[in-house]
């Protein structure tokens, strides 16, 4: 390491040396840059050769020398200046040719026109050959571009002067074909020009399409013309060498193929019968064939994309014919089956692997779109039984009648089941190949489970199944899903998680259905309680066990609420019955003592307590009773050491709330009746704590208890016209203050003293107001000034007194 400078002079010298080294290095880099520029300027004309006298290595870069002389035959100046000059020259020639064709053409006769056309075109086409022989490649490219433009102007001039009666579209088709052929021959003949062959490819995109348009062909005819053009462009792109030609051909093929595909899709969707859809279907199949041919030996990414679009085009073609024979609600099923028919392509070894992957991706895409298309109807079927909440036990017939609310909705579960079968087949195939049940394999299995779980309830709602049969099937499905969720290693983890949540969803569907009839409510929720409890006992996963335990408690709460409704107890009395469920849960928690089981049970018990409070809120007496019973349950929970702090405070709060609710029902308005019992209990608890922990602060021990009573009593004091409350509150505050001073406790001293001061202020306030009314107005600021002077004169003494007081209070507990 370089030692740090010990003085500013040494640091300055170090900086100077570093700057000199940087300047030297910069000069070397600039010399190397100049040498490379000279080498690049000499390269186009005579190939790569190092400039005269220049070594060929980076490490031995020469010193800055003048740029070498420009080789013979190269343009003057750098390549950038050369290109600018050539482009400007070509543009000027093009503008001149266009101006001549548009404005001066009519002034010449037929012979003159022919001579001018022949001369200009022949000259423009022949000059690049001479320029190439002299090594002027860039100049030849510019003149060649002008020559191609002149041929286009020749075609236009021939139509305007010689063949004005010819149809514009037909002549354009013929002219573009002739130009494409001529440019191809010219490009092949000259060989070294880069523009004619790509231009010929561009011109070749027009003859068939313009010819079909000129002949008055239908949309399908134009689509076939586009498709044939795309096929020809694909052949050119695959067989003709040259990057520019191949790139142009691929671009043209993509544009014309997309145009033909869009025409086929539009005609297929609007077809009203099989015969009308046959033509667009054939066009779409042709588009699929062209796409497959184009990507058969392409790189992986391009092959996968081509396989996807080819598969989708084939599905659209075949499905467009078949869907005309079925109602619109079943069209999704038709396209889904057509997409499933692509799956066997994966077994054809002749097809490249990437293309097979793309075709299977198309099948997956069709499946996904079909599922998304029926998803709203499926959601409506699943949520249909929720209407029973507006009239519980209103009758099973009304709920079952909701099955026919969606005409032809039977196609919805069919789509879900077909998609589930496809995903299941994919999962089985991947497992047979030796794939681990993770990633996409696990996703396929989980998707199959989810689709079956959604399809069965929707099928029950749409197929007008009997009410009892629908409930039985739902319960069997819940049992099967819960069994799969705790099946151990035989079922992949993703499938188990999906099965668990699907079981919850199907159980909710069955529960809503069961609320339509009283016997069904007891039977269904009782069986669900048993199923969830058994699953919790068998499961080794924390999430599954916790969820099923909570749901079992919820099912028990529903049964208890239903019992209250059957006995016609009313909501407040039913609340007491509902509390039996949390009571059983608390007893189980005291018996089990396993945190993984106790926590979800306590969560369910807490939910049950909230339900009971909600039922009893309309009757104050029963609300007080429910609060007291909840306090008893919280106190029982506090028996366990790990729950003692939280459950103990909760029990005390619930008991206090129960007492307050009872006092409100009795019409008691004095705040001390609400706060004094709590204060006594809190102070007693604080006293016990101080005995067991002498180091505990008086604020933690007595502060809450004293504040509960003193705080609410002070506002009531100022609105009370009688003398009893000030006397009693003042006496209590005095006793608290003296106790705090004697026992050296900070909290009682400050809280009692502050309360005593406020009580005294309350008692003296009328007399003080009378004194201030009797004094002249100038006496108040005079007294304030005298007070400030006295404080200023004894400031140091008051400061010492304040410090002593603070130290004295700090020594208290």
């Amino acid at each position: 390491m370089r030692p740090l400078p010990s003085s500013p002079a040494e640091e300055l010298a170090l900086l100077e040396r570093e700057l000199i080294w940087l300047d030297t290095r910069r000069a070397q880099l600039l010399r190397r840059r100049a040498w490379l520029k000279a080498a690049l300027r000499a390269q186009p004309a005579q190939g790569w050769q190092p400039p005269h006298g220049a070594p060929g290595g980076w490490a031995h870069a020469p010193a800055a020398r003048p740029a070498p002389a420009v080789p013979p035959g190269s343009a003057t100046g750098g390549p950038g200046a050369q290109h600018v000059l050539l482009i400007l020259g070509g543009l000027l020639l093009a503008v001149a040719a266009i101006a001549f064709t548009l404005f001066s053409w009519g002034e010449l006769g037929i012979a003159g026109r022919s001579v001018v056309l022949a001369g200009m075109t022949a000259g423009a086409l022949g000059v690049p050959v001479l320029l190439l022989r002299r090594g002027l490649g860039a100049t030849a490219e510019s003149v060649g571009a002008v020559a191609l433009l002149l041929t286009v102007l020749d075609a236009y001039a021939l139509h305007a002067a010689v063949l004005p009666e010819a149809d514009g579209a037909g002549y354009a088709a013929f002219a573009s074909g002739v130009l494409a052929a001529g440019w191809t021959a010219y490009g092949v003949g000259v060989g070294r020009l880069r523009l004619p062959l790509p231009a010929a490819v561009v011109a070749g995109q027009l003859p068939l399409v313009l010819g079909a348009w000129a002949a008055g062909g239908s949309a399908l005819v134009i689509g076939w013309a586009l498709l044939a053009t795309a096929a020809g462009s694909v052949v050119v792109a695959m067989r003709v060498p040259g990057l520019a030609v191949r790139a142009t051909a691929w671009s043209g093929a993509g544009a014309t193929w997309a145009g033909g595909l869009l025409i086929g899709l539009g005609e297929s969707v609007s077809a009203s019968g099989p015969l009308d859809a046959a033509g667009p279907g054939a066009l779409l199949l042709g588009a699929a064939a062209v796409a497959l041919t184009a990507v058969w030996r392409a790189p992986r990414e391009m092959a996968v994309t081509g396989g996807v679009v080819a598969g989708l085009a084939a599905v659209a073609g075949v499905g467009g014919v078949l869907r005309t024979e079925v109602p619109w609600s079943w069209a999704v099923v038709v396209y889904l089956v057509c997409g499933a028919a692509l799956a066997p392509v994966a077994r054809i070894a002749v097809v490249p692997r990437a293309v097979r992957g793309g075709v299977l991706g198309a099948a997956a895409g069709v499946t996904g779109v079909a599922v998304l298309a029926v998803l709203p109807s499926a959601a409506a079927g699943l949520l249909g039984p929720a209407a029973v909440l507006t009239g519980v036990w209103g009758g099973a017939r009304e709920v079952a009648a909701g099955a026919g609310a969606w005409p032809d909705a039977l196609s919805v579960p069919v789509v879900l089941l077909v998609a589930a079968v496809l995903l299941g087949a994919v999962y089985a195939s991947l497992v047979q190949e030796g794939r681990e049940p993770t990633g996409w394999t696990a996703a396929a299995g989980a998707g199959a489970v989810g689709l079956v779980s959604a399809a069965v309830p929707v099928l029950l709602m749409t197929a007008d199944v009997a009410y009892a049969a629908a409930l039985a099937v739902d319960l069997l499905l819940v049992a099967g899903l819960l069994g799969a969720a705790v099946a151990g290693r035989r079922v992949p983890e993703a499938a188990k998680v999906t099965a668990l949540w699907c079981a919850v969803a199907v159980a909710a569907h069955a529960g809503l259905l069961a609320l339509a009839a009283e016997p069904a409510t007891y039977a269904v929720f009782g069986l669900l309680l048993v199923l969830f409890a058994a699953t919790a006992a068998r499961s080794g996963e924390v999430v599954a066990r916790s969820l099923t335990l909570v749901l079992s408690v919820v099912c028990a709460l529903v049964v208890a609420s239903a019992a209250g409704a059957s006995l016609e107890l009313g909501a407040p009395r039913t609340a007491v019955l509902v509390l039996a469920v949390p009571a059983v849960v608390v007893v189980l928690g005291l018996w089990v003592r396993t945190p993984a089981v106790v926590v979800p049970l306590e969560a369910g018990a807490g939910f049950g307590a909230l339900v009971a409070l909600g039922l009893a809120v309309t009757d104050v007496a029963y609300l007080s009773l429910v609060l007291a019973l909840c306090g008893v349950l919280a106190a029982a929970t506090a028996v366990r050491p790990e729950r003692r702090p939280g459950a103990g405070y909760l029990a005390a709060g619930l008991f206090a709330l129960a007492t307050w609710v009872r006092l409100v029902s009795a019409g008691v308005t004095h705040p001390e009746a609400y706060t004094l019992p709590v204060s006594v209990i809190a102070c007693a608890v604080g006293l016990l704590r101080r005995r067991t922990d002498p180091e505990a602060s008086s604020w933690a021990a007595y502060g809450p208890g004293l504040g509960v009573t003193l705080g609410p009593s002070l506002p009531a004091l100022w609105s009370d016209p009688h003398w009893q409350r000030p006397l009693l509150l003042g006496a209590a505050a005095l006793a608290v203050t003296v106790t705090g001073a004697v026992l050296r406790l900070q909290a009682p001293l400050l809280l009692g003293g502050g309360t005593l001061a406020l009580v005294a202020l309350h008692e003296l306030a009328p007399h003080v107001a009378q004194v201030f009314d009797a004094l002249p107005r100038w006496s108040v600021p005079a007294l304030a000034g005298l007070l400030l002077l006295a404080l200023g004169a004894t400031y140091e003494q008051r400061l010492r007194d304040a410090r002593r007081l603070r130290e004295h209070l700090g020594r208290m507990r």
Side-chain angles (χ1 to χ4, degrees):
M1 293 180 59
R2 180 179 298 174
L4 295 175
S6 59
S7 66
E10 292 182 3
E11 184 178 359
L12 180 60
L14 178 62
L15 292 177
E16 292 291 341
R17 288 195 296 271
E18 294 287 343
L19 291 174
I20 293 172
W21 182 85
L22 290 175
D23 291 338
T24 304
R25 183 59 178 164
R26 185 174 184 276
Q28 292 176 356
L29 294 175
L30 290 175
R31 287 196 297 270
R32 179 65 180 178
R33 177 169 173 267
W35 179 77
L36 290 174
K37 281 189 174 183
L40 289 175
R41 283 196 295 269
Q43 181 178 355
Q46 57 188 19
W48 165 246
Q49 293 179 1
H52 178 69
W58 167 261
H60 305 286
R65 294 187 179 92
V70 179
S74 65
T76 304
Q82 177 187 12
H83 293 161
V84 170
L85 293 175
L86 292 175
I87 291 172
L88 289 176
L91 288 176
L92 291 175
L93 288 176
V95 171
I98 293 172
F100 172 77
T101 303
L102 294 177
F103 302 110
S104 301
W105 180 259
E107 299 178 1
L108 301 176
I110 297 297
R113 297 172 184 174
S114 302
V115 171
V116 170
L117 282 173
M120 292 180 63
T121 305
L125 293 174
V127 168
V129 179
L130 299 176
L131 293 174
L132 288 173
R133 291 177 181 176
R134 299 191 60 185
L136 301 175
T139 307
E141 291 287 349
S142 299
V143 177
V146 175
L148 298 181
L149 178 61
L150 286 175
T151 57
V152 176
L153 294 177
D154 289 344
Y156 167 75
L158 182 63
H159 177 265
V162 180
L163 301 171
E165 297 85 5
D167 179 64
Y171 180 79
F174 172 77
S176 58
V178 172
L179 288 175
W183 290 349
T184 302
Y186 181 68
V188 172
V190 175
R192 294 175 60 186
L193 291 180
R194 291 175 290 182
L195 187 59
L197 290 179
V201 173
V202 174
Q205 310 298 313
L206 302 176
L208 289 179
V209 180
L210 293 177
W213 185 18
S218 62
L220 284 179
V221 174
I222 296 176
W224 279 110
L226 288 168
L227 197 59
T229 304
S233 299
V234 168
V235 173
V236 171
M238 297 175 65
R239 298 298 179 86
V240 178
L243 179 60
V245 176
R246 299 178 69 178
T248 307
W250 281 122
S251 301
T256 52
W257 182 88
L261 179 69
L262 291 176
I263 291 177
L265 288 175
E267 294 294 317
S268 177
V269 171
S270 61
S272 58
L275 294 178
D276 292 339
L283 178 60
L284 291 171
L285 290 177
V290 172
L292 288 178
T293 304
V295 301
W296 196 262
R297 299 186 183 278
R300 174 176 174 76
E301 292 77 8
M302 189 175 179
V304 172
T305 304
V308 170
V309 296
L312 293 177
V315 170
V318 178
V321 177
L322 297 179
R323 63 93 188 157
T324 57
E325 294 295 325
V326 298
W328 269 108
S329 58
W330 287 89
V332 179
V333 180
V334 172
Y335 284 109
L336 178 59
V337 173
C338 293
L342 298 176
V345 177
R347 301 293 182 181
I348 303 176
V350 179
V351 181
R353 185 179 182 86
V355 176
R356 280 183 285 166
V359 174
L360 291 179
V366 172
T367 304
V369 172
V371 172
L372 290 176
V374 302
L375 200 58
S377 297
L382 290 172
L383 298 176
V388 75
L389 296 176
T390 59
V392 179
W393 296 352
R397 182 173 300 177
E398 288 74 9
V399 176
W406 304 277
D408 295 330
L410 192 61
S411 60
V412 175
V414 173
V415 170
L416 297 177
L417 289 174
V418 172
V421 171
L422 291 176
L423 287 177
V426 171
Y427 174 77
S429 176
L430 293 175
V431 171
Q432 288 179 358
E433 292 178 1
R435 300 280 188 90
E436 293 292 331
T438 56
W440 290 109
T441 305
V449 173
L451 290 175
V452 170
S453 304
V456 172
V458 175
L459 181 61
L460 297 175
M461 294 298 296
T462 56
D464 200 13
V465 179
Y467 180 71
L471 289 176
V473 173
D474 271 349
L475 290 174
L476 289 175
L477 181 58
V478 171
L481 291 171
L482 290 176
V486 294
R489 297 183 178 180
R490 293 174 296 173
V491 179
E493 190 64 28
K496 289 197 294 184
V497 174
T498 305
L500 176 63
W501 290 104
C502 289
V504 174
V506 178
H509 182 267
L512 291 174
L513 279 178
L515 291 177
E518 183 177 357
T521 300
Y522 290 106
V524 170
F525 281 97
L527 288 174
L528 289 177
L529 171 61
V530 174
L531 288 174
F532 285 131
T535 303
R538 291 182 54 193
S539 176
E541 298 290 334
V542 176
V543 175
R545 182 170 54 242
S546 301
L547 181 62
T548 50
L549 282 174
V550 171
L551 291 176
S552 62
V553 174
V554 172
C555 292
L557 291 172
V558 175
V559 173
S561 301
S566 298
L567 297 173
E568 298 181 354
L569 299 178
R573 294 182 180 181
T574 302
V576 180
L577 184 61
V578 167
L579 278 179
V581 176
V584 174
V585 171
V586 170
V587 173
L588 286 175
L590 294 175
W591 175 53
V592 176
R593 296 292 183 97
T594 303
V597 177
V598 171
V599 171
L601 285 176
E602 289 178 345
F607 177 74
L610 291 177
V611 172
L613 290 173
L615 292 173
V617 74
T618 57
D619 191 311
V620 179
Y622 276 98
L623 179 60
S624 174
L625 176 61
V626 170
L627 285 170
L629 293 176
C630 291
V632 171
L633 296 178
T637 305
V639 171
R640 300 202 308 273
E642 69 275 9
R643 292 289 184 267
R644 186 164 299 158
Y649 290 132
L650 179 61
L654 289 172
F655 285 133
L657 284 175
T659 305
W660 293 349
V661 170
R662 176 62 67 179
L663 291 174
V664 169
S665 64
V668 177
T669 58
H670 298 291
E672 290 79 10
Y674 299 87
T675 60
L676 192 57
V678 178
S679 294
V680 172
I681 296 173
C683 290
V685 172
L687 180 61
L688 293 176
R689 181 177 179 182
R690 288 274 296 175
R691 288 184 177 180
T692 57
D693 183 14
E695 298 297 325
S697 172
S698 62
W699 289 101
Y702 305 114
L706 295 175
V708 166
T709 296
L710 297 178
S713 296
L714 283 173
L717 175 69
W718 292 90
S719 60
D720 190 353
H722 304 289
W723 58 271
Q724 290 88 353
R725 177 176 276 112
L727 177 61
L728 294 176
L729 183 59
L734 178 60
V736 170
T737 304
V738 172
T739 303
V742 172
L743 299 179
R744 303 179 61 81
L745 298 175
Q746 190 178 105
L749 177 62
L750 295 180
L751 290 176
T755 304
L756 186 60
L758 292 175
V759 171
L761 179 62
H762 172 268
E763 293 302 310
L764 293 176
H767 305 288
V768 173
Q770 292 178 1
V771 171
F772 274 100
D773 288 338
L775 292 176
R777 295 183 180 274
W778 55 265
S779 60
V780 176
L783 292 174
L786 292 174
L787 179 61
L788 291 177
L789 288 175
L791 288 176
T794 60
Y795 175 75
E796 295 296 335
Q797 182 62 35
R798 302 288 80 75
L799 188 59
R800 287 192 295 270
D801 294 341
R803 287 172 180 170
R804 283 195 295 270
L805 178 61
R806 185 182 64 182
E807 293 172 357
H808 181 69
L809 290 175
R811 288 192 293 270
M812 292 184 176
R813 298 301 299 171

